[in-house]
Amino acid sequence: MRKLLFLLPGTTQKFHCGGLFAELKTIELVKQICPVEIVTYRQREPDKAYLNDILASKPQDTIFVVSWGFDVPKLVARLRGYPTIYHAHSAEYGFRLPPQIPIVSVSRNTLGYWGQRSPHALLYYLPNQISDEFADRKLDRYIDVLVHSRKSSDYLLKQLIPALQPHCQVEIIEGFVDSLSELFNQSRVYLYDSAEYWATQGVTEGFGLQPLEAIACGCQVFSSVNHGLSDYLDPGFNCHKIAGFSTTYDVERILEVVKSAAPVNNLESLLAEYRTENILSRLQVILSEIDRFFDRVNLDKSDMLDFSDRRIFQLRLSKAFKSIQKKLKR
């Protein structure tokens, strides 16, 4: 199997975000299946390969993996002629991809987006991993309600939390946290409301690790159900929909859950899809298929017509013309 070169803008603190850490987790899993190397392209790092140097050496028997959404169009242009995979997290960046680039999506929501946007590419589903540290350790849950301010809506921070604070213990986390497993194990309820954040960003919530990690640790979760979150969140069954009708109604429901502290039902069956064993099994199939694809195809010889804006216009025009012809024959 070919060596995979994962392209990242950098790995230092200024690039830290959920997407980077999810990609680094994926890289560690891929290492168990085939050779892997991290390649940076925005900044040189002493212990990493740099894209300019890699391309100058004209690498053979390698597959490039791009993932940083805003950079993908420029990277794909630079990598033309080389086997390339897009590891798709968020969607709605606006670009299209040619059929010679297989797309591996972290959520079914993103998979469906690319099924429409790039219908002739090979498409695969590989959810993000929920590592074993995210498990219910049966600790004392002294925090009633836990909130991470990052990506939270104005409603959550300015209306809901002030309404909750007189009635229960609310813990607000500021800034980026590498792992929340300890805090999730000490909390009864976790609040997450990212729909407003992603609406202002103009792209989608690719996966939304935190609510699932909280559920894995035994928290009851009140969350928005936008984009990738809809893959696994099932309001009324494994979570509760936040921002439901009014602040008063939200407060009432949250306080009821704080008092009852009921466990999530069928937790292990929910999490099995996202645990290491399943991810490795899927990776083996996906990477084997992609490796075989690049063995068999000439990357410049696709005869598929993509859904470009021009082609969509032509198809609509053709449909309208046929409709007019039918009417004239009556």
Side-chain angles (χ1 to χ4, degrees), residues 158-220:
K158 297 177 181 179
Q159 288 179 232
L160 184 56
I161 290 174
L164 283 169
Q165 284 172 324
H167 306 288
C168 63
Q169 166 80 26
V170 180
E171 182 85 14
I172 303 172
I173 309 164
E174 304 286 349
F176 192 84
V177 179
D178 287 350
S179 176
L180 289 163
S181 60
E182 192 75 22
L183 281 169
F184 286 150
N185 268 278
Q186 295 167 345
S187 305
R188 297 177 185 275
V189 170
Y190 179 61
L191 306 184
Y192 187 84
D193 186 11
S194 71
E196 180 181 278
Y197 172 85
W198 290 108
T200 60
Q201 295 296 305
V203 295
T204 66
E205 175 89 82
F207 185 88
L209 278 166
Q210 290 182 11
L212 189 56
E213 289 172 342
I215 290 171
C217 293
C219 278
Q220 286 281 348

Side-chain angles (χ1 to χ4, degrees), residues 155 160 164 222 241-256:
Y155 163 73
L160 184 56
L164 283 169
F222 282 75
K241 171 66 173 64
I242 203 168
F245 182 68
S246 70
T247 308
T248 301
Y249 189 55
D250 266 3
V251 169
E252 181 184 308
R253 291 186 298 140
I254 291 166
L255 292 178
E256 282 180 1

Side-chain angles (χ1 to χ4, degrees), residues 14 57 113 115 154 165 207 222 232 282 293 297 308 313 320:
K14 70 177 181 178
S57 70
Y113 171 85
D154 280 354
Q165 284 172 324
F207 185 88
F222 282 75
Y232 61 83
R282 296 185 70 85
F293 167 72
V297 304
S308 65
F313 175 76

Side-chain angles (χ1 to χ4, degrees), residues 107-155:
S107 70
R108 290 186 176 89
N109 183 272
T110 302
L111 182 70
Y113 171 85
W114 282 107
Q116 180 66 35
R117 189 81 175 171
S118 193
H120 306 308
L122 296 182
L123 299 174
Y124 300 96
Y125 166 60
L126 183 75
N128 283 329
Q129 178 203 27
I130 302 298
S131 53
D132 292 341
E133 68 176 296
F134 292 99
D136 189 351
R137 302 177 206 164
K138 309 299 181 186
L139 301 181
D140 178 33
R141 296 185 184 272
Y142 67 90
I143 300 171
D144 291 325
V145 175
L146 180 68
V147 180
H148 198 312
S149 63
R150 187 172 177 267
K151 297 183 184 177
S152 289
S153 65
D154 280 354
Y155 163 73

Side-chain angles (χ1 to χ4, degrees), residues 75-103:
L75 288 172
V76 166
R78 291 188 68 187
L79 298 172
R80 181 163 183 169
Y82 289 104
T84 303
I85 299 170
Y86 177 37
H87 189 201
H89 295 260
S90 301
E92 300 290 356
Y93 288 101
F95 60 83
R96 296 181 186 275
L97 290 174
Q100 60 263 40
I101 298 181
I103 300 169

